[in-house]
Amino acid sequence: GVISTSAVLTAAGVGSSEASAYGAAMTWALRDGIGMVGGLVFSYVASPHFDSHVKEFRLFADIINDVGLTLDMIAPLVEQNRVMFVTILATMCKVMCGMSAGATKASITAHFALRGNMADLNAKESTQESLVTILGMVLGVALANKLRAEEKESIFSIFISWFVFLLLTVLHVWANYKGVKLLHLNTLNRARGEVALQPVLIGLSKQSMSDFDSNHQSDVDKKNCPKFTLIAAPTEISESILSSAKNLFLSGGILLGSPLEKAFRGKSAQDIQYILKDLYKKDNYFLSLDYKRRDEIHVLLRHGATENDKLKAFLHAQVLQNCAKKILKRGGTLDANLEKSLLSM
């Protein structure tokens, strides 16, 4: 923090005879103002995902903060007419860090407050953070004084600054990644749901493909049906952070809560009526396979759908996707008739 702040002040003109206090103040105000506007845009885009991706945004907060600090370090090295642009990007990164960290803090604190002692945990966490900050500040000031004793802007001082900064940044990201991996939340998002339902998904996919190959859709044989006792509790699941983060940008072929016009795009009125009134008339959800996009599955919920309906729809979509992928691997093609067969499994 001290090293990056020193770099920002140098970029702002501190120590230069040509710089003025008024110019530096205007630069600082403009940088903060535009950075906050960028933070508002980020909040608008990311806020719907904070609750379902607590781990990912907690790690994102630390990484994006390090990106902002890195931009601060780069600021003195760029041309003077580009310093403003670099510092604005750095401020945006820090604003996104603050929003992500603040939004996920409540969920993480609740995870550790097993006895309902959230206030006590918050106080201890703040104390720990203050202690670490003071320690880092003392070491940073000592390093800054040491570098100041060297010749100004010497190769040695620049090398030491960047070496210490990059070393601490890598250590910071690694420590936070390990810490986030140790979190076992008691809720399911898409990534944890896929891991939890994997044993059942494999069994149901095999049974469904067997029914499909035999060219009839019979009731699932209870002897071959996977036991739902194999499903692990959410606190026993450790999902891949990278895979879960990828789901924020890529749907993985399963689109939850798709609009009607997108789910039924290119389908005839007869096909739509078959899905809505015949195939899923007893369910609070319905699925639609977009065979033109190969294995893209749309999941839509009826009004009044419960959490169990949502979980059932997600599992059904996973089974349907697995079957569609197996058919494509065999060299088959997805068409309207095949879609009806798969949906009715």
Coordinates of all heavy atoms in Angstrom, one line a residue, residues 139-178:
L139 N 6.2 -1.7 7.9 CA 7.2 -2.3 7.0 C 7.3 -1.5 5.7 O 8.4 -1.3 5.2 CB 6.8 -3.7 6.7 CG 6.9 -4.7 7.9 CD1 6.4 -6.1 7.5 CD2 8.3 -4.8 8.5
G140 N 6.1 -1.0 5.3 CA 6.1 -0.2 4.0 C 6.8 1.1 4.2 O 7.6 1.6 3.3
V141 N 6.6 1.8 5.3 CA 7.3 3.1 5.6 C 8.8 2.8 5.7 O 9.7 3.6 5.2 CB 6.8 3.7 6.9 CG1 7.7 4.9 7.3 CG2 5.4 4.2 6.7
A142 N 9.2 1.7 6.4 CA 10.6 1.4 6.5 C 11.3 1.2 5.1 O 12.4 1.6 4.8 CB 10.8 0.2 7.4
L143 N 10.5 0.4 4.3 CA 11.1 0.2 2.9 C 11.1 1.5 2.1 O 12.1 1.7 1.4 CB 10.2 -0.8 2.2 CG 10.6 -1.2 0.8 CD1 12.0 -1.8 0.7 CD2 9.5 -2.1 0.1
A144 N 10.1 2.3 2.3 CA 10.1 3.6 1.5 C 11.3 4.5 1.9 O 11.9 5.1 1.1 CB 8.8 4.3 1.7
N145 N 11.6 4.5 3.2 CA 12.7 5.3 3.7 C 14.0 4.7 3.2 O 15.0 5.5 2.8 CB 12.7 5.3 5.2 CG 11.6 6.2 5.8 OD1 11.2 7.2 5.2 ND2 11.2 5.9 7.0
K146 N 14.1 3.4 3.1 CA 15.3 2.8 2.6 C 15.5 3.1 1.1 O 16.6 3.5 0.7 CB 15.2 1.3 2.8 CG 16.4 0.5 2.2 CD 17.7 0.8 2.9 CE 18.8 -0.1 2.3 NZ 20.1 0.2 2.9
L147 N 14.4 3.1 0.4 CA 14.5 3.4 -1.1 C 14.8 4.9 -1.3 O 15.5 5.2 -2.3 CB 13.2 3.0 -1.8 CG 12.9 1.5 -1.8 CD1 11.6 1.2 -2.5 CD2 14.0 0.7 -2.5
R148 N 14.3 5.7 -0.4 CA 14.5 7.1 -0.5 C 16.0 7.5 -0.4 O 16.5 8.5 -0.9 CB 13.7 7.9 0.5 CG 13.7 9.4 0.4 CD 12.9 10.1 1.4 NE 13.0 11.5 1.3 CZ 12.5 12.4 2.2 NH1 11.8 11.9 3.3 NH2 12.6 13.7 2.0
A149 N 16.7 6.7 0.5 CA 18.1 6.9 0.7 C 18.9 6.7 -0.5 O 20.0 7.2 -0.7 CB 18.6 6.1 1.9
E150 N 18.4 5.8 -1.4 CA 19.1 5.5 -2.7 C 18.9 6.7 -3.6 O 18.1 7.6 -3.4 CB 18.5 4.3 -3.3 CG 18.6 3.0 -2.4 CD 20.0 2.6 -2.2 OE1 20.9 2.8 -3.1 OE2 20.3 2.0 -1.2
E151 N 19.7 6.7 -4.7 CA 19.6 7.7 -5.7 C 18.2 7.7 -6.3 O 17.6 6.6 -6.6 CB 20.6 7.4 -6.8 CG 20.6 8.5 -7.9 CD 21.6 8.3 -9.0 OE1 22.4 7.3 -8.8 OE2 21.7 9.0 -9.9
K152 N 17.6 8.9 -6.5 CA 16.2 9.0 -6.9 C 16.0 8.3 -8.3 O 16.8 8.5 -9.2 CB 15.8 10.5 -7.0 CG 14.3 10.6 -7.3 CD 14.0 12.1 -7.4 CE 12.5 12.3 -7.7 NZ 12.1 13.7 -7.7
E153 N 15.0 7.4 -8.4 CA 14.6 6.7 -9.6 C 15.8 5.9 -10.1 O 15.9 5.7 -11.3 CB 14.1 7.7 -10.6 CG 12.8 8.4 -10.3 CD 12.3 9.3 -11.4 OE1 13.0 9.3 -12.5 OE2 11.2 9.9 -11.2
S154 N 16.6 5.4 -9.2 CA 17.7 4.5 -9.7 C 17.1 3.1 -10.0 O 16.0 2.8 -9.6 CB 18.7 4.4 -8.6 OG 18.2 3.7 -7.5
I155 N 17.9 2.4 -10.8 CA 17.4 1.1 -11.2 C 17.3 0.2 -10.0 O 16.3 -0.6 -10.0 CB 18.5 0.5 -12.2 CG1 18.6 1.3 -13.5 CG2 18.1 -0.9 -12.6 CD1 17.3 1.5 -14.3
F156 N 18.1 0.3 -9.1 CA 18.1 -0.5 -7.9 C 16.7 -0.3 -7.1 O 16.1 -1.2 -6.7 CB 19.3 -0.3 -7.0 CG 19.2 -1.0 -5.7 CD1 19.5 -2.4 -5.6 CD2 18.8 -0.4 -4.5 CE1 19.5 -3.1 -4.4 CE2 18.8 -1.1 -3.3 CZ 19.1 -2.4 -3.2
S157 N 16.4 1.0 -6.9 CA 15.2 1.3 -6.1 C 13.9 0.8 -6.8 O 13.0 0.3 -6.2 CB 15.1 2.8 -5.8 OG 15.0 3.5 -7.0
I158 N 13.9 1.0 -8.2 CA 12.8 0.5 -9.0 C 12.7 -1.0 -8.9 O 11.6 -1.5 -8.8 CB 12.9 1.0 -10.4 CG1 12.8 2.6 -10.4 CG2 11.8 0.4 -11.3 CD1 13.0 3.2 -11.8
F159 N 13.8 -1.6 -9.0 CA 13.8 -3.1 -9.0 C 13.3 -3.6 -7.6 O 12.4 -4.5 -7.6 CB 15.2 -3.6 -9.3 CG 15.3 -5.1 -9.1 CD1 14.8 -6.0 -10.0 CD2 15.9 -5.6 -7.9 CE1 15.0 -7.4 -9.8 CE2 16.0 -7.0 -7.7 CZ 15.5 -7.9 -8.7
I160 N 13.8 -3.1 -6.6 CA 13.4 -3.5 -5.2 C 11.9 -3.3 -5.0 O 11.1 -4.1 -4.4 CB 14.2 -2.8 -4.1 CG1 15.7 -3.3 -4.2 CG2 13.6 -3.1 -2.7 CD1 15.8 -4.8 -3.9
S161 N 11.4 -2.1 -5.4 CA 10.0 -1.8 -5.3 C 9.1 -2.8 -6.0 O 8.1 -3.3 -5.4 CB 9.7 -0.4 -5.8 OG 10.4 0.6 -5.1
W162 N 9.4 -3.1 -7.2 CA 8.6 -4.0 -8.0 C 8.8 -5.5 -7.5 O 7.8 -6.2 -7.5 CB 9.0 -4.0 -9.5 CG 8.3 -2.9 -10.2 CD1 8.8 -1.7 -10.5 CD2 6.9 -2.9 -10.7 NE1 7.8 -0.9 -11.2 CE2 6.7 -1.7 -11.3 CE3 5.9 -3.9 -10.7 CZ2 5.4 -1.4 -11.9 CZ3 4.7 -3.6 -11.2 CH2 4.5 -2.4 -11.8
F163 N 10.0 -5.8 -7.0 CA 10.2 -7.2 -6.5 C 9.3 -7.4 -5.3 O 8.6 -8.4 -5.1 CB 11.7 -7.4 -6.2 CG 11.9 -8.7 -5.6 CD1 12.0 -9.9 -6.3 CD2 12.2 -8.8 -4.2 CE1 12.2 -11.1 -5.7 CE2 12.4 -10.0 -3.6 CZ 12.4 -11.2 -4.3
V164 N 9.4 -6.5 -4.3 CA 8.6 -6.6 -3.1 C 7.1 -6.6 -3.4 O 6.4 -7.4 -2.8 CB 9.0 -5.5 -2.1 CG1 8.1 -5.5 -0.9 CG2 10.5 -5.6 -1.7
F165 N 6.7 -5.7 -4.3 CA 5.3 -5.6 -4.6 C 4.8 -6.8 -5.2 O 3.7 -7.4 -4.8 CB 5.1 -4.4 -5.6 CG 3.7 -4.3 -6.0 CD1 2.7 -3.7 -5.2 CD2 3.3 -4.7 -7.3 CE1 1.4 -3.6 -5.7 CE2 2.0 -4.6 -7.8 CZ 1.0 -4.0 -6.9
L166 N 5.5 -7.4 -6.2 CA 5.0 -8.6 -6.9 C 5.0 -9.8 -6.0 O 4.1 -10.6 -6.0 CB 5.9 -8.9 -8.1 CG 5.7 -7.8 -9.3 CD1 6.7 -8.2 -10.4 CD2 4.3 -7.8 -9.8
L167 N 6.1 -9.9 -5.1 CA 6.1 -11.0 -4.2 C 4.9 -11.0 -3.2 O 4.3 -12.0 -3.0 CB 7.4 -10.9 -3.4 CG 7.6 -11.9 -2.3 CD1 7.7 -13.3 -2.9 CD2 8.9 -11.6 -1.5
L168 N 4.6 -9.8 -2.7 CA 3.5 -9.7 -1.7 C 2.2 -9.9 -2.4 O 1.2 -10.4 -1.9 CB 3.5 -8.3 -1.0 CG 4.7 -8.1 -0.1 CD1 4.6 -6.6 0.5 CD2 4.7 -9.1 1.0
T169 N 2.1 -9.5 -3.7 CA 0.8 -9.6 -4.5 C 0.6 -11.1 -4.7 O -0.6 -11.6 -4.5 CB 0.9 -8.9 -5.8 OG1 1.1 -7.5 -5.6 CG2 -0.3 -9.1 -6.6
V170 N 1.6 -11.8 -5.1 CA 1.4 -13.3 -5.4 C 1.1 -14.0 -4.1 O 0.2 -14.9 -4.0 CB 2.7 -13.9 -6.0 CG1 2.6 -15.4 -6.1 CG2 3.0 -13.3 -7.4
L171 N 1.7 -13.7 -3.0 CA 1.5 -14.3 -1.7 C 0.0 -14.0 -1.3 O -0.7 -14.8 -0.7 CB 2.5 -13.7 -0.7 CG 2.3 -14.3 0.8 CD1 2.5 -15.8 0.8 CD2 3.3 -13.6 1.7
H172 N -0.4 -12.7 -1.5 CA -1.8 -12.3 -1.1 C -2.8 -13.1 -1.9 O -3.8 -13.6 -1.3 CB -1.9 -10.8 -1.4 CG -3.3 -10.3 -1.1 ND1 -4.1 -9.7 -2.1 CD2 -4.0 -10.2 0.1 CE1 -5.2 -9.3 -1.5 NE2 -5.2 -9.6 -0.2
V173 N -2.7 -13.2 -3.2 CA -3.6 -14.0 -4.0 C -3.6 -15.5 -3.6 O -4.7 -16.1 -3.5 CB -3.3 -13.8 -5.5 CG1 -4.2 -14.7 -6.4 CG2 -3.5 -12.4 -5.9
W174 N -2.5 -16.0 -3.4 CA -2.4 -17.4 -3.1 C -3.0 -17.7 -1.7 O -3.8 -18.7 -1.6 CB -0.9 -17.9 -3.0 CG -0.7 -19.3 -2.5 CD1 -0.8 -20.4 -3.2 CD2 -0.4 -19.7 -1.2 NE1 -0.6 -21.5 -2.4 CE2 -0.3 -21.1 -1.2 CE3 -0.1 -19.0 0.0 CZ2 0.0 -21.8 0.0 CZ3 0.1 -19.7 1.2 CH2 0.2 -21.1 1.1
A175 N -2.8 -16.9 -0.7 CA -3.4 -17.0 0.6 C -4.9 -16.9 0.6 O -5.6 -17.7 1.2 CB -2.8 -16.0 1.6
N176 N -5.4 -16.0 -0.2 CA -6.8 -15.8 -0.3 C -7.5 -16.9 -1.1 O -8.6 -17.3 -0.7 CB -7.2 -14.4 -1.0 CG -7.1 -13.3 0.0 OD1 -8.0 -13.0 0.8 ND2 -6.0 -12.6 0.0
Y177 N -6.8 -17.5 -2.1 CA -7.4 -18.6 -2.8 C -7.5 -19.8 -1.9 O -8.5 -20.5 -1.9 CB -6.5 -18.9 -4.0 CG -6.9 -20.2 -4.7 CD1 -8.0 -20.1 -5.6 CD2 -6.2 -21.4 -4.6 CE1 -8.4 -21.3 -6.3 CE2 -6.6 -22.5 -5.2 CZ -7.7 -22.5 -6.1 OH -8.1 -23.6 -6.8
K178 N -6.4 -20.1 -1.1 CA -6.5 -21.2 -0.1 C -7.6 -21.0 0.9 O -8.3 -21.9 1.3 CB -5.1 -21.3 0.5 CG -4.0 -21.9 -0.4 CD -4.3 -23.3 -0.8 CE -3.2 -23.9 -1.6 NZ -3.5 -25.3 -2.0

